[in-house]
Amino acid sequence: MTDDWIPFAEGEYLVENAWLVTPDDQAVALERAVVEVFRDRRGRRRLNGSGLIANALLVELLEDNDALDLLLDFGADLTFRLRRPDLSGGKVFAADVKSTLQFTPAGPLEVLAPDEFRRIVRSLAVLPR
């Protein structure tokens, strides 16, 4: 995969809003999400990120569907969908526990027009925090 799909320079970027989403519009919010753009050993730009998530809610999402997308809102009408990112996170599933969920793209960021992004977000059934 080439790095020309990464619309950011190297650095860390705060994500204003982020949700893990199933195809049937069930979602869980990711809190304090951050994306890092960096160069790998070969000099190619790469992107990865992380945020806090309630593990029990993530498990609830995964009960019905394991094909999760990530919606990312960086503010200033910079909105994206990351289809089926690679996810890794904590293994504690108590209702009141949140842990860091790390995500890495499995494909390019899909740019969403602000109106389309807002339409998608309005249709989400967000599980409680």
Side-chain angles (χ1 to χ4, degrees):
M1 175 179 358
T2 65
D3 64 5
D4 58 348
W5 57 268
I6 300 173
F8 304 107
E10 293 172 53
E12 287 190 354
Y13 298 89
L14 294 176
V15 180
E16 286 191 11
N17 296 290
W19 297 270
L20 278 174
V21 180
T22 65
D24 63 352
D25 293 331
Q26 297 288 311
V28 172
L30 219 60
E31 299 174 19
R32 293 190 254 167
V34 176
V35 166
E36 178 187 13
V37 177
F38 60 96
R39 295 227 177 243
D40 67 10
R41 286 184 231 158
R42 294 182 177 166
R44 296 175 298 193
R45 265 185 314 152
R46 296 288 184 228
L47 180 147
N48 62 30
S50 64
L52 289 178
I53 193 162
N55 294 1
L57 294 178
L58 176 58
V59 169
E60 191 174 330
L61 270 190
L62 291 169
E63 285 176 358
D64 294 326
N65 201 319
D66 61 353
L68 301 179
D69 289 350
L70 183 60
L71 296 176
L72 298 167
D73 173 7
F74 290 90
D77 290 334
L78 293 171
T79 52
F80 303 91
R81 176 182 290 248
L82 187 53
R83 296 206 181 261
R84 298 185 181 177
D86 296 325
L87 304 172
S88 62
K91 309 258 187 294
V92 178
F93 303 111
D96 59 343
V97 172
K98 293 180 184 176
S99 68
T100 300
L101 178 77
Q102 297 175 340
F103 56 90
T104 305
L109 284 168
E110 178 183 326
V111 177
L112 294 175
D115 289 342
E116 175 69 4
F117 187 84
R118 285 189 288 276
R119 185 196 63 74
I120 293 169
V121 169
R122 279 192 304 270
S123 73
L124 297 178
V126 179
L127 299 178
R129 293 182 180 211

